[in-house]
Amino acid sequence: MNTAEVRQWLRAARTIVLLSGAGMSAESGVPTFRDAQAGLWADFRPEDLATEQGFRADPRLVWDWYQSRREGVARVQPNAGHLAVAAFQQRHPGRLLVVTQNVDGLHQRAGSPGVLALHGNLAQDKWLEPPRRCCDPARLQEGRPPCCPACGNQRRPAVVWFGEMLPEAELAAAEAAAGACDLMLVVGTSGVVYPAAGLARATRGRVVVINPEPSALDDAADAVLRGTSALLLPDLLEE
Ligand code: OAD
C-alpha cells in the first residue's frame, strides 16, 4: 500500500475521523507511555500513579507527577503532524474530526476545532469529591494538591484514570462519528486501550493505520503506513 492510494481515499472521503494516541506527540518531544518507562518516573508504574486509589494513597506524589507532565507539555510545541491536521480542517470545515487519547492539548494548540479528548486534558483540574457549596475553584488553598479552604476537598487532574469511565458525551460523539465516517486515520496508538481502540473496529469506513511499529489495530486496517505522523500526515493531507 502506498501513500498515493491513501491520498486518493482521503480526497474521496466526505467525512474523516483521525484517532490519535501518544505517538502523535512523540515528535513534539512528549514521551509515549512506553518511552515514559525510561524517564524520571521510571521507578513508578503509571498504573499506580494514574488511579484514584494511587491519588488517595499519596496525593502529593501523584499531584507532583502530573505537575511534571504539565511542565513538560508546556515546553513543547505541536509538530508538523498536528499542524497538517489543523490546516486540513481549516481548508475543509466540518470534514475531519479529531478524536484523541492524548491529554497534552497539542491538537487544540495546533488549531484543531472541536477535538474530542477521550482521556481528558492535563491542563485542567476537577474536584476529587463531589463539590459542596463551599467548593469554589476560584478560591483555593494553595498546596500539592490545592484544596477547598473550608472543607478540604482536593483538586485532581481532569484526566481519565485507570478504572474510570470516559467522559460520556465525548465518547458518544466519537462513536457516532466513527461509525458514520468514510475513512479513519489511526495515528500513533498501540491500539490496546479500550474503548478508544474499539472505534477503529466499529467504523464502516476504510481504516488507515499510521505507525512506525506494528500495532494491535493493524489487523483492522485497509492500509498500514509504516512511518511517523510528523512525516506522513503533511504528505497525505496537503492538496
Ligand atoms: P502507547 O505509548 O501505548 O503507544 C504509542 C504508539 O505510538 C506506539 O504504537 C508507537 O509505535 C507509536 N509511535 C511512536 N512514535 C510515533 C510517531 N512518531 N508517529 C506515529 N506513531 C508513533 O500510547 P497510546 O496508544 O496512546 O490512557 O496509549 C493509549 C492509552 O494508554 C493512553 O491514552 C493512556 C494509556 O493508558 C489513559 O491514560 C487513560
Side-chain angles (χ1 to χ4, degrees), residues 157-179:
V159 299
V160 175
W161 281 335
F162 290 102
E164 292 184 332
M165 303 292 282
L166 271 57
E168 226 171 280
E170 277 83 352
L171 181 59
E175 283 171 345

mmCIF file of all heavy atoms in Angstrom, residues 157-179:
data_model
loop_
_atom_site.group_PDB
_atom_site.id
_atom_site.type_symbol
_atom_site.label_atom_id
_atom_site.label_comp_id
_atom_site.label_asym_id
_atom_site.label_seq_id
_atom_site.Cartn_x
_atom_site.Cartn_y
_atom_site.Cartn_z
ATOM 1 N N PRO A 157 -6.177 16.137 38.759
ATOM 2 C CA PRO A 157 -6.131 16.375 37.312
ATOM 3 C C PRO A 157 -7.413 15.869 36.642
ATOM 4 O O PRO A 157 -7.936 14.810 37.022
ATOM 5 C CB PRO A 157 -4.924 15.557 36.856
ATOM 6 C CG PRO A 157 -4.169 15.197 38.080
ATOM 7 C CD PRO A 157 -5.117 15.233 39.226
ATOM 8 N N ALA A 158 -7.890 16.632 35.654
ATOM 9 C CA ALA A 158 -9.118 16.250 34.945
ATOM 10 C C ALA A 158 -8.780 15.304 33.788
ATOM 11 O O ALA A 158 -9.031 15.584 32.619
ATOM 12 C CB ALA A 158 -9.843 17.491 34.456
ATOM 13 N N VAL A 159 -8.142 14.201 34.161
ATOM 14 C CA VAL A 159 -7.828 13.167 33.174
ATOM 15 C C VAL A 159 -8.507 11.874 33.619
ATOM 16 O O VAL A 159 -8.867 11.726 34.784
ATOM 17 C CB VAL A 159 -6.299 12.943 33.047
ATOM 18 C CG1 VAL A 159 -5.600 14.219 32.591
ATOM 19 C CG2 VAL A 159 -5.701 12.446 34.356
ATOM 20 N N VAL A 160 -8.666 10.979 32.649
ATOM 21 C CA VAL A 160 -9.302 9.704 32.960
ATOM 22 C C VAL A 160 -8.246 8.770 33.545
ATOM 23 O O VAL A 160 -7.225 8.498 32.907
ATOM 24 C CB VAL A 160 -9.926 9.086 31.684
ATOM 25 C CG1 VAL A 160 -10.481 7.696 31.973
ATOM 26 C CG2 VAL A 160 -11.014 9.995 31.136
ATOM 27 N N TRP A 161 -8.491 8.309 34.737
ATOM 28 C CA TRP A 161 -7.571 7.369 35.363
ATOM 29 C C TRP A 161 -8.008 5.931 35.091
ATOM 30 O O TRP A 161 -9.175 5.680 34.721
ATOM 31 C CB TRP A 161 -7.554 7.623 36.885
ATOM 32 C CG TRP A 161 -6.707 8.806 37.267
ATOM 33 C CD1 TRP A 161 -5.658 9.334 36.574
ATOM 34 C CD2 TRP A 161 -6.828 9.590 38.469
ATOM 35 N NE1 TRP A 161 -5.119 10.393 37.254
ATOM 36 C CE2 TRP A 161 -5.800 10.571 38.424
ATOM 37 C CE3 TRP A 161 -7.674 9.555 39.571
ATOM 38 C CZ2 TRP A 161 -5.608 11.507 39.428
ATOM 39 C CZ3 TRP A 161 -7.477 10.490 40.584
ATOM 40 C CH2 TRP A 161 -6.466 11.446 40.510
ATOM 41 N N PHE A 162 -7.084 5.023 35.296
ATOM 42 C CA PHE A 162 -7.416 3.601 35.119
ATOM 43 C C PHE A 162 -8.616 3.256 35.992
ATOM 44 O O PHE A 162 -8.678 3.668 37.153
ATOM 45 C CB PHE A 162 -6.230 2.711 35.481
ATOM 46 C CG PHE A 162 -5.099 2.816 34.498
ATOM 47 C CD1 PHE A 162 -3.974 3.575 34.795
ATOM 48 C CD2 PHE A 162 -5.154 2.197 33.263
ATOM 49 C CE1 PHE A 162 -2.925 3.706 33.890
ATOM 50 C CE2 PHE A 162 -4.121 2.317 32.345
ATOM 51 C CZ PHE A 162 -3.008 3.063 32.661
ATOM 52 N N GLY A 163 -9.537 2.542 35.412
ATOM 53 C CA GLY A 163 -10.724 2.131 36.155
ATOM 54 C C GLY A 163 -11.853 3.145 36.102
ATOM 55 O O GLY A 163 -12.930 2.885 36.623
ATOM 56 N N GLU A 164 -11.623 4.303 35.465
ATOM 57 C CA GLU A 164 -12.678 5.319 35.390
ATOM 58 C C GLU A 164 -13.354 5.290 34.021
ATOM 59 O O GLU A 164 -12.766 4.858 33.024
ATOM 60 C CB GLU A 164 -12.091 6.717 35.643
ATOM 61 C CG GLU A 164 -11.618 6.891 37.074
ATOM 62 C CD GLU A 164 -11.122 8.288 37.378
ATOM 63 O OE1 GLU A 164 -10.633 8.988 36.460
ATOM 64 O OE2 GLU A 164 -11.198 8.681 38.547
ATOM 65 N N MET A 165 -14.586 5.805 34.024
ATOM 66 C CA MET A 165 -15.341 5.892 32.775
ATOM 67 C C MET A 165 -14.802 7.053 31.941
ATOM 68 O O MET A 165 -14.335 8.056 32.489
ATOM 69 C CB MET A 165 -16.820 6.187 33.062
ATOM 70 C CG MET A 165 -17.482 5.178 33.975
ATOM 71 S SD MET A 165 -17.644 3.592 33.173
ATOM 72 C CE MET A 165 -19.061 3.929 32.125
ATOM 73 N N LEU A 166 -14.928 6.914 30.622
ATOM 74 C CA LEU A 166 -14.598 8.044 29.752
ATOM 75 C C LEU A 166 -15.730 9.064 29.819
ATOM 76 O O LEU A 166 -16.860 8.702 30.132
ATOM 77 C CB LEU A 166 -14.428 7.552 28.308
ATOM 78 C CG LEU A 166 -13.017 7.095 27.923
ATOM 79 C CD1 LEU A 166 -12.524 5.986 28.827
ATOM 80 C CD2 LEU A 166 -12.969 6.673 26.479
ATOM 81 N N PRO A 167 -15.412 10.346 29.523
ATOM 82 C CA PRO A 167 -16.499 11.350 29.509
ATOM 83 C C PRO A 167 -17.583 10.909 28.518
ATOM 84 O O PRO A 167 -17.296 10.626 27.355
ATOM 85 C CB PRO A 167 -15.801 12.638 29.062
ATOM 86 C CG PRO A 167 -14.437 12.262 28.613
ATOM 87 C CD PRO A 167 -14.119 10.899 29.144
ATOM 88 N N GLU A 168 -18.815 10.843 29.054
ATOM 89 C CA GLU A 168 -19.916 10.218 28.304
ATOM 90 C C GLU A 168 -20.212 10.911 26.969
ATOM 91 O O GLU A 168 -20.349 10.253 25.939
ATOM 92 C CB GLU A 168 -21.167 10.292 29.178
ATOM 93 C CG GLU A 168 -21.941 9.017 29.246
ATOM 94 C CD GLU A 168 -23.032 9.116 30.299
ATOM 95 O OE1 GLU A 168 -22.729 8.964 31.504
ATOM 96 O OE2 GLU A 168 -24.162 9.384 29.893
ATOM 97 N N ALA A 169 -20.311 12.236 27.023
ATOM 98 C CA ALA A 169 -20.711 12.973 25.811
ATOM 99 C C ALA A 169 -19.640 12.833 24.723
ATOM 100 O O ALA A 169 -19.955 12.623 23.546
ATOM 101 C CB ALA A 169 -20.932 14.444 26.146
ATOM 102 N N GLU A 170 -18.357 12.919 25.130
ATOM 103 C CA GLU A 170 -17.264 12.809 24.154
ATOM 104 C C GLU A 170 -17.245 11.419 23.526
ATOM 105 O O GLU A 170 -17.091 11.264 22.318
ATOM 106 C CB GLU A 170 -15.903 13.080 24.804
ATOM 107 C CG GLU A 170 -15.546 14.539 24.933
ATOM 108 C CD GLU A 170 -16.155 15.189 26.174
ATOM 109 O OE1 GLU A 170 -16.992 14.532 26.858
ATOM 110 O OE2 GLU A 170 -15.818 16.348 26.448
ATOM 111 N N LEU A 171 -17.418 10.396 24.375
ATOM 112 C CA LEU A 171 -17.385 9.034 23.844
ATOM 113 C C LEU A 171 -18.552 8.796 22.886
ATOM 114 O O LEU A 171 -18.376 8.220 21.812
ATOM 115 C CB LEU A 171 -17.413 8.011 24.990
ATOM 116 C CG LEU A 171 -17.359 6.551 24.547
ATOM 117 C CD1 LEU A 171 -16.087 6.250 23.737
ATOM 118 C CD2 LEU A 171 -17.440 5.606 25.751
ATOM 119 N N ALA A 172 -19.737 9.271 23.263
ATOM 120 C CA ALA A 172 -20.910 9.080 22.392
ATOM 121 C C ALA A 172 -20.693 9.786 21.055
ATOM 122 O O ALA A 172 -20.990 9.229 19.985
ATOM 123 C CB ALA A 172 -22.168 9.608 23.082
ATOM 124 N N ALA A 173 -20.154 11.000 21.104
ATOM 125 C CA ALA A 173 -19.912 11.745 19.858
ATOM 126 C C ALA A 173 -18.853 11.039 19.010
ATOM 127 O O ALA A 173 -18.972 10.962 17.778
ATOM 128 C CB ALA A 173 -19.476 13.173 20.179
ATOM 129 N N ALA A 174 -17.836 10.504 19.679
ATOM 130 C CA ALA A 174 -16.775 9.800 18.941
ATOM 131 C C ALA A 174 -17.319 8.523 18.303
ATOM 132 O O ALA A 174 -16.993 8.205 17.153
ATOM 133 C CB ALA A 174 -15.617 9.476 19.881
ATOM 134 N N GLU A 175 -18.164 7.816 19.035
ATOM 135 C CA GLU A 175 -18.734 6.570 18.484
ATOM 136 C C GLU A 175 -19.611 6.860 17.278
ATOM 137 O O GLU A 175 -19.553 6.154 16.271
ATOM 138 C CB GLU A 175 -19.528 5.839 19.571
ATOM 139 C CG GLU A 175 -18.610 5.111 20.536
ATOM 140 C CD GLU A 175 -19.317 4.551 21.771
ATOM 141 O OE1 GLU A 175 -20.477 4.954 22.035
ATOM 142 O OE2 GLU A 175 -18.702 3.740 22.470
ATOM 143 N N ALA A 176 -20.401 7.924 17.394
ATOM 144 C CA ALA A 176 -21.287 8.270 16.272
ATOM 145 C C ALA A 176 -20.463 8.651 15.043
ATOM 146 O O ALA A 176 -20.734 8.195 13.927
ATOM 147 C CB ALA A 176 -22.211 9.421 16.677
ATOM 148 N N ALA A 177 -19.431 9.467 15.264
ATOM 149 C CA ALA A 177 -18.612 9.919 14.133
ATOM 150 C C ALA A 177 -17.825 8.747 13.530
ATOM 151 O O ALA A 177 -17.727 8.616 12.308
ATOM 152 C CB ALA A 177 -17.649 11.013 14.590
ATOM 153 N N ALA A 178 -17.302 7.890 14.407
ATOM 154 C CA ALA A 178 -16.512 6.753 13.919
ATOM 155 C C ALA A 178 -17.397 5.799 13.119
ATOM 156 O O ALA A 178 -16.999 5.291 12.064
ATOM 157 C CB ALA A 178 -15.870 6.021 15.090
ATOM 158 N N GLY A 179 -18.594 5.575 13.621
ATOM 159 C CA GLY A 179 -19.499 4.649 12.927
ATOM 160 C C GLY A 179 -19.865 5.149 11.541
ATOM 161 O O GLY A 179 -20.036 4.348 10.617
#
